Amino acid sequence: MKVAFYTLGCKVNQYETQAMMENLEKNGYKIVDTNDNADIYVVNSCTVTAESDRKTRQAVRRFKRNHPQSVVVLTGCLPQAFPKIVDELKQADIVLGNKSNDDLIFSLDNYYENKKRQINIIVHENADKFTGSKISGFRTRTRANIKIEDGCNRFCAYCIIPYSRGRVRSKPLEELKEELKDIAQAGFSECVLVGINLSAYGSDIDCSLCDAVELACSFEQIKRVRLGSLEPDHITKKVIERLSKQEKLCPHFHISLQSGCDSTLERMNRHYTSAEYDELCNNLRNTFKDAAISTDVMVGFPAETDEEFEESMAFVEKIGFEKIHVFPYSQREGTKAAKMKEQITKAIKSERSKRMTETAQRIRNEFLKNQVGKTLSVLIEEKANDGFAQGYTANYTPVKTSYSEEIQHQILDVKIKEVKDDFCIGEIVEIADK
């Protein structure tokens, strides 16, 4: 049977989709694109924002409408956090929570045998251990995301994730070692260590993120090790110093900010001040050569005044992030912020989002223009729609250069000539690694 996946959300979701794909293939299923006529369509959902929920609903209904004879599966964070979605999305023949992803084949077998809707949503428990299938590759990618942590204990006022993902759970180092071994043997030049609260890795099993990074860097075949999204806490000076000794670790750090205003951070139940965040950025940039720092910034959090927004804007300017993901606050049922009285209107959130995005893009453009004239090491990932080869530098600068089949999946030295459409354009100098 043919199975197509539609994945929303973060790199952890992408990893879990890969794991489900591999399990299906081992059991005789064929993975196809969503544009093909599949027998089964799996929607791996995200529920971070209301927009994520909307896209999930839309996808489930679209697949069932266009392929009424096919089986539609809904899994991921939306049904895990909001089990009542089962009653709303009747178009989903099978509904799993993210804790039940490994039961996909079992649920499919039951559905085909009994011709009855299958519901399997298991609540996360505080004492849960890290579980889930490992992967041996990453479909159509040059880099492989490796999930090493799940869950979060932070309970930020706006966030549903602790309810959709449970508490912090870390992959044991021995299991990680076996998975990295497979990834290395599969020929991946780069791996990305990812998690829901990656910074907290090891806090439940008496190790640390540094241990995981050092293990990944120990594999000769893996040339680059990258970190997924990080929270500011746990990234101490000692951690930075230890990480800096790993030459393969890419100097790109995506560290969630959310707001540059201390009053807003306090209402959000974030566990740092803007001054502490500023110090962290300085420590990283002073320690790692060509370090790039990207972030997430939320606008329109409940009770955010014009003055608080301006303070956040000024902080963003001060840090000079290499890239910023700007998004408006989204009211999530079950969170503390959803009950706050001073909700910001959609119009104000839209206006603030526009202004913050414009600021972010200006800072981004300045960063990219500063790369002109430099020779950068680029991992070529794929052929772009415009015919160029494209890839990323160690600090995650996007680069395009002339395409030829023999350069794909290789690390090349590229001299940057110009900037166009959020890409640096360059010429190959030499092959740095084969």
Side-chain angles (χ1 to χ4, degrees):
M1 288 190 173
K2 296 187 290 185
V3 187
F5 278 80
Y6 180 78
T7 304
L8 292 149
C10 65
K11 289 181 171 65
V12 171
N13 264 19
Q14 294 170 16
Y15 172 94
E16 290 171 350
T17 287
Q18 176 67 30
M20 285 187 281
M21 285 181 175
E22 290 192 17
N23 283 338
L24 287 165
E25 288 178 320
K26 290 174 184 176
N27 284 272
Y29 291 84
K30 181 181 179 181
I31 306 302
V32 299
D33 189 82
T34 53
N35 293 324
D36 293 342
N37 289 318
D39 302 293
I40 302 162
Y41 291 87
V42 181
V43 178
N44 191 0
S45 65
C46 170
T47 192
V48 168
T49 65
E51 177 64 11
S52 301
D53 290 354
R54 185 192 69 79
K55 289 181 178 179
T56 294
R57 292 185 177 93
Q58 185 181 61
V60 169
R61 289 166 177 157
R62 181 177 70 250
F63 288 133
K64 198 61 178 179
R65 181 177 63 250
N66 295 342
H67 308 277
Q69 302 306 314
S70 299
V71 174
V72 175
V73 180
L74 171 62
T75 186
C77 290
L78 177 56
Q80 187 73 50
F82 302 107
K84 64 183 181 182
I85 198 70
V86 167
D87 298 323
E88 179 184 345
L89 282 178
K90 298 290 189 181
Q91 297 87 346
D93 302 297
I94 298 174
V95 183
L96 309 174
N98 52 40
K99 190 176 179 178
S100 307
N101 284 338
D102 284 349
D103 294 332
L104 174 57
I105 294 174
F106 175 79
S107 296
L108 285 168
D109 289 343
N110 277 349
Y111 178 83
Y112 283 116
E113 180 179 351
N114 301 312
K115 301 301 180 184
K116 291 183 179 179
R117 196 178 192 214
Q118 302 292 306
I119 310 298
N120 187 357
I121 303 173
I122 305 171
V123 176
H124 289 294
E125 303 290 347
N126 289 351
D128 283 348
K129 302 296 183 183
F130 189 96
T131 59
S133 302
K134 69 183 184 74
I135 66 172
S136 59
F138 223 81
R139 194 174 181 85
T140 70
R141 292 179 183 270
T142 303
R143 68 165 65 91
N145 297 331
I146 307 296
K147 174 184 163 185
I148 68 171
E149 186 274 342
D150 205 342
C152 185
N153 301 342
R154 297 176 61 92
F155 288 92
C156 297
Y158 52 82
C159 189
I160 198 67
I161 293 302
Y163 304 96
S164 65
R165 282 287 177 176
R167 305 300 174 265
V168 168
R169 308 180 298 286
S170 304
K171 178 175 291 181
L173 289 170
E174 281 303 312
E175 291 182 21
L176 176 58
K177 183 178 181 179
E178 290 303 309
E179 191 166 25
L180 287 166
K181 182 178 179 181
D182 290 342
I183 290 298
Q185 290 178 346
F188 284 84
S189 299
E190 179 176 309
C191 71
V192 188
L193 303 181
V194 301
I196 298 301
N197 184 356
L198 184 61
S199 312
Y201 173 81
S203 58
D204 58 325
I205 58 172
D206 196 28
C207 63
S208 74
L209 181 60
C210 295
D211 294 305
V213 170
E214 289 167 359
L215 178 58
C217 290
S218 70
F219 286 84
E220 182 180 355
Q221 301 98 318
I222 297 174
K223 307 302 179 184
R224 288 180 176 178
V225 176
R226 196 179 293 279
L227 295 175
S229 181
L230 299 164
E231 292 291 337
D233 54 344
H234 301 297
I235 311 177
T236 64
K237 286 185 177 180
K238 288 184 177 180
V239 168
I240 293 173
E241 181 182 2
R242 187 172 165 188
L243 291 177
S244 70
K245 296 177 181 178
Q246 300 304 313
E247 294 182 359
K248 292 182 181 179
L249 179 63
C250 294
H252 170 238
F253 304 94
H254 186 91
I255 306 173
S256 183
L257 171 64
Q258 304 304 350
S259 175
C261 170
D262 287 342
S263 297
T264 307
L265 288 172
E266 185 175 357
R267 289 199 306 279
M268 288 178 168
N269 195 33
R270 302 292 283 175
H271 303 284
Y272 53 87
T273 65
S274 58
E276 290 169 340
Y277 189 101
D278 185 11
E279 182 181 7
L280 171 58
C281 292
N282 287 330
N283 288 338
L284 288 168
R285 285 171 168 158
N286 290 334
T287 303
F288 290 88
K289 182 183 178 182
D290 297 324
I293 300 174
S294 54
T295 196
D296 305 301
V297 174
M298 181 188 298
V299 299
F301 186 74
E304 182 186 59
T305 65
D306 289 340
E307 292 75 18
E308 289 175 338
F309 171 71
E310 295 296 341
E311 188 176 336
S312 189
M313 283 269 288
F315 187 77
V316 164
E317 292 263 16
K318 177 183 179 182
I319 298 298
F321 295 100
E322 279 70 22
K323 190 171 185 177
I324 306 171
H325 171 224
V326 179
F327 61 103
Y329 163 73
S330 180
Q331 202 167 352
R332 311 304 292 138
E333 177 187 343
T335 64
K336 183 179 179 180
K339 300 176 183 178
M340 293 180 178
K341 295 181 180 180
E342 299 179 64
Q343 299 289 328
I344 306 300
T345 66
K346 184 176 180 180
I348 291 176
K349 287 192 287 188
S350 178
E351 189 272 336
R352 289 177 182 173
S353 181
K354 180 175 181 292
R355 286 189 58 200
M356 186 69 80
T357 300
E358 288 173 348
T359 297
Q361 191 58 54
R362 174 172 51 77
I363 297 171
R364 172 73 168 171
N365 291 340
E366 291 173 0
F367 165 70
L368 293 176
K369 288 177 182 177
N370 286 336
Q371 308 311 302
V372 175
K374 295 181 180 179
T375 297
L376 306 175
S377 180
V378 181
L379 174 58
I380 303 298
E381 298 190 28
E382 60 187 351
K383 185 178 182 179
N385 293 333
D386 56 10
F388 281 93
Q390 68 180 41
Y392 290 87
T393 66
N395 71 359
Y396 215 61
T397 301
V399 176
K400 288 184 177 181
T401 189
S402 299
Y403 177 81
S404 61
E405 287 189 12
E406 62 268 19
I407 69 172
Q408 198 155 342
H409 311 310
Q410 296 190 48
I411 297 177
L412 310 175
D413 283 343
V414 178
K415 186 169 184 178
I416 306 304
K417 299 292 186 179
E418 61 177 323
V419 175
K420 184 178 181 181
D421 298 330
D422 205 44
F423 276 88
C424 288
I425 311 298
E427 296 179 354
I428 297 171
V429 176
E430 62 178 346
I431 295 179
D433 178 80
K434 296 185 178 180

